[in-house]
Structure formats: C-alpha cells, structure tokens
Amino acid sequence: MGMALLEVDNIHLYYSTSKGIVKAVDGVSFELEEGETLALVGESGCGKSTIAKALIRLWERNVSSVTGEIRFEGRDVLHISDEEFRMQYRWKKIAWVPQASMNSLNPVLTIGEQMIEPLVIHHDVDKDKALMQAMDMLEAVGLPRDIVRRYPHQLSGGMKQRVAIAMALILMPKLVILDEPTSALDVITQANIMNLLKRLRREFKLTYIFITHDLALASELADSVAVMYAGKLVEWGSSDDIYVSPKHPYTVGLMGSVPTLRGEKKLTFMPGEVPSLINPPTGCRFYPRCPYFASRGELKGLCDRDEPPYIDVEHKGARRHLVSCWLYK
Amino acid sequence: MYASSIADSPWLSPNHLVIGHRLKMWYSVQAGLFSKTRYVRAVDDVSISIGKGETVAMIGESGSGKSSLGRTLLRLYKLNGGSLMFDGKDITKAKESELAWFRRRAQMIFQDPFSAINPFHNIKFILEEPLIIHGVGGGAAEREEMVIRTLNEIKMNPPEDYLYKYPHMLSGGQRQRVAIGRAIILRPDFIVADEPVSMLDASVRVEILTLLKEVQQKMNIAFLYITHDISTAKYFSDRIAILYAGKLAEVGPYRDVVKDPAHPYTQALIEAIPDPDPSNRFHDKKVVGGEPPSLINPPRGCRFHPRCPFAMDICRREEPPMVEVKNGIYAACWLHIKK
C-alpha cells in the first residue's frame, strides 16, 4: 500500500449539553488509501456522522472540544486556520454530501445558481463558464443539462440527491464523505444512486467515506469497513474479512440482524440499549449487552473495568483486521 | 351472493376476515380557486383479502398507495368505489356510529413511535385509553390488570417500572412496543402495521419484528404489514402483495414470489435490494431507471410500461388484467397473458 490519503489519529469530539458532556466521538483512529472506500457503520448515535463533521470541520456551536489529528496527504488539517481550511480543503479536496442533502438545496435559487457558487468563489471563473461546468457535472451524474434553470421543488427526490452529489464533485475533490446518501429514497432509486456512485468513483478516481447504518448497502461500495459503537471504533478491516468473519461481538450481533433476501438465515437481535454517552460504561462500552460477558465468568472484572486494546487478528483482505475486544487477547 | 360478486378476482377468498374488493380511494386536489378539481388515484381498483391469523405484506415505494390502502381497509377513509367486508359484514358505507364494534376489532400501528403516542400521558394511561373508550374491563383495578398483562406481552418487564413513565423517558424501540401494546390490548382480530420498523436501528428492528410475530401467532391476528422493504417482509409474512402506482402488480405466497417474481416491477424491486456480500462492490446492479408516475395523470395501459425493460405495444395501450401465473401467484402483466 502507498501513502495514506487520510489518517484520522485518535480524535475526540465532545458536545456540551445541559445534562453534561456528551462524548460523541471518543478516541477514533483509522486511515484511508487513495481510491479506497471506507464504510463507517453503526447504529444511530454511535458518532459516525460526528466524524464526518470533524473531517469537513463543520460542527455545531455546542461542541466543547475537538482533539486529535486529521492528516490529509500527510498534513494536519484539524489545527490549521479556518480560513486556510476553507480555501484549500473544504469542497476543493474534501467534499461532503450531508445527510438528507436533497432537502438542503436552497428553494429560491435555481440549481445552476447554487451549483456555481463554489466555482466563482474558489476558482474565480466567470459565470457563463461556471454554468458550463455545472452542466457538465449534471450530465456526469445522469441528469439533463437544462436542469440548471430549474428550482429544487421541480425535481424528484432522486434527482435532488443527484444534484447534491454533483455539487459535492464540482471542484473535483479527492475525498468525498457520503453521509447516508440514499436514506430517504425508494429502493430502486437507491440502487440507481449506488450504481452512480460506483461509476463516479471509477471516472473521477474518488476516495469515499460512506457513512451508513445499513450493512447490506455498505457492501455495495466498501473496500474496508469500520464499525462504531457508542463513540468508539470497535472493529476495522477489509470488507472481505468483516463480512465473512466478523470478530467483535457487536459486529457479529449487527450482522445477525441484517435480513437477507436470497439466503436462508435466522435473524437475531441484541437485547438492551445503546449506553448514554454522558456516562458511558467503564471498560468496554459493549459489555452490558455482550453475550460473552454474560456467560463467561473469567471476563468479569476485565471487560467491565479495562478498556480493550486493538488486537491484530488474522486477515485475508488487503487491510489489517483490528478488533477492540478482550476475547482475542 | 358475495362469493359470486368477488369471483372476478380469484385471489380473494370469500372466507377471509377482511375482503377489499375493487377498492378505489382518490384524494381530491384543487390547484386554484376556480380550477377544476383533480384526483390523485392513490388506490385505484385494488382487491385484497386477508384470512384470520394470516400476515400479508403490502410492498410498494413511496406514493404507491400502500398506506392509503391500509387506511382504506380500516375504513379511515371514505371509499370512492369498491366494497369492504369484515367478518362477513359489509362495512363499505356504514356510518361511523355503527362501526364501534369494528373499531374495537381492527387496530393500527404507525411508523413513527415518536409521534404516535401522546407525550403528555404516562404509559399506563396510553395503554388504558382504548379500554376506556370501548368500555372494556369494568373498573379501574381490572383495567390496570389488563395494562400490566399487556406490558408483559410487549416484554416491558417488570411492568411496574413502566406504568408511570412518560414516552420521552423511553427509547424508540420501547415506544414502538407501547404502540404495539395499545393496538393489542383490545384483543383485535386485524392489525394494519404501517412501516412499523422502518425508523428503527437494525437490531431493534429485529427485536420489534420478533415481538410482532410472537403476538400475531399467540393471538391469531390477521396482519397487513405495510413496508417498502421486501427483505424484512420475509420474516413476517405468509403472502405478499406488490403495489405500483395505485395498482396491484403481483400477489402470492411470499417465498414463491421472491424466488421467481412474475411481474417486471417485482423483479426490479428484488434486484435493487442488496444482501450483505463484499463482492457486491465489484459489479453494478441491473436496475430500471425512471421514477414512479404521477397518480393524477397515470400513464395509459400498464402503469409500469415507461420503466419496463420488456414493454410491448399492447402495454402502452391496454391495462393488463390480473391473471394466475402459477399456483396461487397472480400478476398484472401482458407477458403472462396468452392471446
């Protein structure tokens, strides 16, 4: 493998709320090669969208602290000035398709007007030329060129999602963060968008971070998978390892709850609830729901006390397979 | 008598608990004050029946009319055509005041557990309210007993811990349990569940589906499970019905339909859904393009023809009738009609 395009090194992001500090992301590290797609998966509230916000440096005002390092092409981009990040990285190198982005289009501007804004600001191109580029990009995402003159309400959900993708790509970024890019769409439209994302990845040599709660959908794009639980990364490895032999009891549980249409499989679920991120459990955050902790006496006093380290397990895929669980020590 | 009038739709059974025959439910829309009223044909000549203790999954994309159909079967809307039978009685035109017995025996579970239960009431009252409305269970003590029994049934143990809690103190999955409890406390024969798990996380989704199945089998309830997700239906349905643009496209036993779908739309739906498999990333899906049509001005002929890879001349001109393709599988597609 070559040099990593993106290295996320032990980042923490805490929100301050009236009830206390919410440790939304609590020490997460992973990396990404150029051209690789990483699926960041987990249930709602696990911190996966918060990581996206940290990467694009757009977080809410009640964020009390962001620490750690995010290196893009070897350079730390978390601690450079806002101005420098805005001019050099956001949209230009790191783009973002936010959750429910099809509803984030401005209803009083035409598609063209909102698409060319970054071109005019970042590249200082004149309006007509920018409009041509916008039309080229719309064509690339499978929309007719004359969409530039339409308003968002004239488009269907799937078309708006394509526009949001075109907007993210217009400055030719290297890394695109896709946050649940198909969540409100119908299944057939969703499949079409997944095909589009595959094609764009080939055409523009893109690197994706694909954030989703849907493991089946993640397998449509992912070269590697990082599984999050309650603000922590619990497992990370190649898709070929994570889907075939998941190791962390949480990943195993999550896989067990994914319905399959073709094969025969009995669905299982994990009893209990996701813990509070204000007062997370000590040790492994999954131990209160873990079937191994419940059944094996020797784990008492370990999992509920000490945080498990990342352990290298045997892997077949291109990446190391890391799992944060005492079972493998 | 009734059996002969539904003979034109052989996938209906005269012995079923709920029989909707050639149902039509149109919404009226008026664009401007003086413009002509137009209709959104949300349910347009759909026939479906559900047997006692049977589960039918109603699959469709948003705007296909699946929710409207579910509510029509509960007589929450006035029909624009067709007839509705429940337990042998015609309730097509019954007045609301004559439907109290039906309201008690037919219940609904909604998609959003955050807005389906009243945030100002505690769990005890939320569960008790249907009993009060229908005058079931005599005194307060007896009602409390029934509430506790229901909390046990929806696996909220110990019940005493939940009686005086408010919805905001519960997780999404627990709230959906309460919504289920409210639906089953009257011991209904028929429940319409409209996307009951689509807002929940994967593991909670399985938990709720497991609970629904358990309740359904224990109490022998007829279920209409409305969903866009054909893969969860696998774990909770005997038969499935596919709805497209207000019309029934295909109906049949779940396993047979999914194994060998007859209608090109059903084929497209199945093709679109991925199973978790790391090799998916190496190939594109073969999916149809386009979007579902407007229900104000649906296309002539088969409503799927503009997106259908097999569209023929006749599909653009004439609406296909439902025909039996194989044992118990009916589809509305010209490919299966021998002329």
Side-chain angles (χ1 to χ4, degrees), chain A residues 43-44 156 186-187 192 195 198 202 219-220 222-223 240 257 260-265 269-270 273, chain B residues 61-62 171 201 203 206-207 234-235 254-255 269-270 273-275 277 280-281 283 285 287-288 291:
Chain A
E43 294 173 282
S44 45
S156 71
D186 281 316
V187 286
N192 278 304
N195 275 350
K198 281 181 194 170
R202 291 193 294 266
S219 75
E220 287 282 338
D223 299 307
D240 299 317
S257 64
T260 57
L261 199 51
R262 291 147 191 105
E264 284 301 323
K265 171 177 160 189
F269 63 88
M270 294 170 270
E273 308 279 338
Chain B
E61 295 176 274
S62 46
S171 67
D201 275 318
S203 175
V206 177
E207 202 175 336
K234 177 176 180 177
Y235 298 90
Y254 183 90
R255 268 163 208 284
L269 267 184
I270 290 172
I273 291 174
D275 277 344
D277 178 351
N280 286 342
R281 67 187 195 272
H283 24 252
K285 287 207 156 297
V287 281
V288 298
E291 315 249 345

Side-chain angles (χ1 to χ4, degrees), chain A residues 95-108:
Chain A
W96 184 37
V97 180
Q99 209 168 348
S101 51
M102 52 191 211
N103 302 323
S104 64
L105 300 176
N106 188 333
V108 297

